[in-house]
Amino acid sequence: MTGLLRPDIPRLPAARRDPVTDTYHGITVVDPYRWMETDGDALGSWLEEQSRHFEHFLKAQPGQAEARQLCARLSAADAHVVNVQYGGGQVFLLRRDVDAPTHRLVARVRPDGEERVVVDPAVRHAEDGAHHVSIDWYSASPDGRFVAYGVSANGSELSTLYVVDVVRGTWLPVSVPGAAPGRMTRLRHPGISWHPDSRRFVYQRLGADSGTAKYQNVRTEMCEIDSANGKATTRPLDDIGDLTTGPDDTPVVTFSDDGRRLVVGIRPGCERTCSVHVRPVDAPGAPWQQVSDAALAWHVAGDEAYVLDPGEDGRGRIVARSLTDDDAPLTVVFDKGPVVEDFYAVDGALLLRCLEGGSSTVVRVRRPLGDRETVCLPHLGSVTEWAHDPATGECLIGLSSWTRSLRLLRVTADSTDCTDTGWIPPSGVERQDVMTSTVTVVASDGVEVPMTVVHRVDQLPDGTAPALLSAYGFFGITLRAAFNPAVVEWVAAGRVWAVAHVRGGGEGGERWARAGHGTGQERSIADFLDCADHLVEAGWTSADRLAAEGTSAGGLTAAGAMVRSPDRFAAVVLRVPVTTTLRLEMHENGPPNIPEYGTVTTPEGLAALLVSDVCRRVTTAPYPPVLVTMGLHDPRVTTFQPAKLVAHLRYASTSAHPVLLRVEEHAGHGVGSTKSQLDNEIADRLTFLNAVLPQPDAVGAPLPVPHLRGEQLK
């Protein structure tokens, strides 16, 4: 294996000191790195040392600078678009242009009118001392007159609320009754929902600044806009607290489509399902009417409520119930089909976003007979953008794949055909010598697990290609196909990239997600190992060429596989990973995640944590080369999480392989990172893999890069 630490690159000493012993339900756990949780200055110094160590390694690798230049050039080929929304006669979106560090809020007059920048955070919200600022989220009013949005610094995701009058180009100061206008802070993904009158919206705000209570006791507030006087005033909706049963319950608040009802879903912590309740919007204190006790999504139209619940098979069904006649039976609108992820109620029909065989489908269900029609998408991939105009029934669908860039498609209310808006031309760096294959892996318990493999068209299954296997496997989240030109270029050079759709994710619906829940997390890790074995047995790669990768909670899957079987992988990359779930609930982002990971307060919860916690499973063994990444402003994964695993591995590994920690000083979990930060991060990951994996054998001359600007839809 090439690329080991050179003799002139220093080896760092271990950081063990003052071990702390915890006993949970008779089980003893020793933590030699507890100081990383309590001694911020010492941890900061240690992280600085790790960062210098990684930079020393990186600079010693041939082609490192060229890799960064290539990734920057590839990402600069096209603008990056996310979060498409309707607002009156306009469509809004966040777009990072090739000359901008972060996304700008852009408005486009429909259908194909002029476009203008509404908010450029680098200009409007430049803050003293901040490396950069970014728009975390936004929500346009139904008439498109106002936009509420949140801005944070350095990828912290802890946003300040702003309201802009799009027509006048002015900002409305936000205040609370009886107080001077000020900065409305502590908003983190606040779930803004506008009333149809476009002059008020509801949102959620954190109740504390820090500590374990930071994400508890979430407040629901309403912001009312006084356009004549150019101001916005907020007030609490206190009676929503009557529906919560604990500090980790999070309200998800929306309005009915006619604005007559307030609709509240109560989500316990990070659970996927909510209990749903309604009351008249202007009658605080009125009794709440329960609509569902296990809703994944909902929509209230007139006097009828549509609810997406898991259904008997866990793949999702949609039922309708009357809000005026409690004795009326439920009507099953959709059942026994593909996995349903979300839906819109359009005129006389429902439009469903679904998963089938790992790819997205869009299905229209006509009311009242329930006739089903499949919308004709131009190619297999993932629907990553999903916007609906209630006034016309039109939808915008963003479709991408592992090898094809995002395309924004328009679907009218009465058609199953898609037309390309042309607002996002296909990328000029797409390649036709790279393709995607979907394979089925029979897991060790006999269950079929889907896996996506991205490879060259002329790839021979001779075991010589280096390969990278990724997975997630938590929270019922589906790894959606997204075009990444740097990864595609890496594959085009003769390598393989695979995504294992393990249990615990959302690819197979709620039952698939629950199979990887609690102690079932062992099953998620086993699925990952089974997929790794399949890649070797099928000739996609060999054991000495196979790397594992996991991001965030997916780090528990990839690292969990590594500590159980260190010899199965030739390298491991862990991006902003959770690593020690036993210590999670003692810190900021821990309590809300107890439903997913477990808790030390109960024997059952402890059993789940003992499965997922990676640090406690690190033993003396010859571990492969490992790269761990982190951001100092990460609100989701506390800094000690990746740091502890690096320390454990460095102390316990008997091999000469590097254990490296890449520290991003001015970023968080990746949300809100600048273009250059993202470019450099992926370039450094690929440089690491190229350094520690055997290089691919010479491949044939690459096929020409296509220019698909004028491609026609099927």
Side-chain angles (χ1 to χ4, degrees), residues 21-103:
T21 300
D22 297 308
T23 302
Y24 306 114
H25 308 288
I27 296 177
T28 298
V29 180
V30 179
D31 184 354
Y33 304 107
R34 185 66 55 84
W35 64 268
M36 290 185 171
E37 302 179 34
T38 58
D39 193 336
D41 291 339
L43 178 60
S45 298
W46 189 82
L47 292 176
E48 288 179 5
E49 186 180 31
Q50 305 307 306
S51 187
R52 289 193 297 269
H53 185 63
F54 174 71
E55 288 298 327
H56 199 166
F57 170 86
L58 200 63
K59 290 177 181 178
Q61 307 309 319
Q64 178 262 336
E66 290 80 1
R68 285 193 170 190
Q69 293 169 4
L70 174 61
C71 289
R73 188 167 66 250
L74 289 170
S75 72
D78 308 283
H80 184 259
V81 173
V82 293
N83 199 348
V84 180
Q85 299 181 21
Y86 285 95
Q90 302 174 94
V91 169
F92 295 85
L93 51 88
L94 292 178
R95 190 181 66 205
R96 190 186 67 228
D97 295 298
V98 297
D99 62 341
T102 59
H103 292 81

Side-chain angles (χ1 to χ4, degrees), residues 299-510:
H299 181 88
V300 175
D303 292 327
E304 196 169 36
Y306 297 93
V307 172
L308 168 62
D309 63 35
E312 292 183 3
D313 61 0
R315 298 176 64 81
R317 67 167 187 169
I318 296 178
V319 298
R321 64 162 295 175
S322 171
L323 296 178
T324 57
D325 184 359
D326 290 337
D327 296 326
L330 294 177
T331 301
V332 178
V333 181
F334 183 88
D335 198 10
K336 308 300 182 185
V339 173
V340 184
E341 297 185 292
D342 197 6
F343 72 96
Y344 287 125
V346 299
D347 187 25
L350 299 180
L351 199 65
L352 282 55
R353 188 183 73 194
C354 304
L355 280 173
E356 195 162 19
S359 298
S360 292
T361 60
V362 177
V363 177
R364 177 180 278 107
V365 182
R366 302 283 185 180
R367 297 293 315 276
L369 299 179
D371 294 337
R372 304 180 184 184
E373 304 168 304
T374 300
V375 174
C376 301
L377 300 179
H379 61 79
L380 294 178
S382 291
V383 172
T384 57
E385 297 297 325
W386 178 242
H388 167 235
D389 181 8
T392 65
E394 178 182 285
C395 284
L396 288 175
I397 295 173
L399 181 68
S400 65
S401 76
W402 303 111
T403 59
R404 302 185 70 174
S405 60
L406 180 71
R407 303 169 72 179
L408 197 57
L409 312 172
R410 181 185 290 113
V411 181
T412 60
D414 57 355
S415 174
T416 57
D417 293 328
C418 286
T419 56
D420 195 332
T421 63
W423 298 347
I424 309 175
S427 173
V429 294
E430 288 182 357
R431 305 186 62 107
Q432 66 182 29
D433 54 348
V434 173
M435 63 177 292
T436 299
S437 297
T438 300
V439 301
T440 299
V441 177
V442 179
S444 50
D445 64 350
V447 173
E448 294 184 346
V449 177
M451 180 169 62
T452 302
V453 182
V454 185
H455 57 93
R456 280 181 58 93
V457 171
D458 57 355
Q459 190 78 47
L460 297 176
D462 57 7
T464 63
L468 178 64
L469 175 64
S470 301
Y472 192 75
F474 284 86
F475 300 102
I477 290 175
T478 300
L479 284 181
R480 300 188 187 282
F483 179 67
N484 188 320
V487 172
V488 170
E489 196 76 14
W490 189 75
V491 170
R495 305 174 182 92
V496 169
W497 180 38
V499 179
H501 304 289
V502 302
R503 276 166 278 188
E507 287 84 347
E510 192 67 13

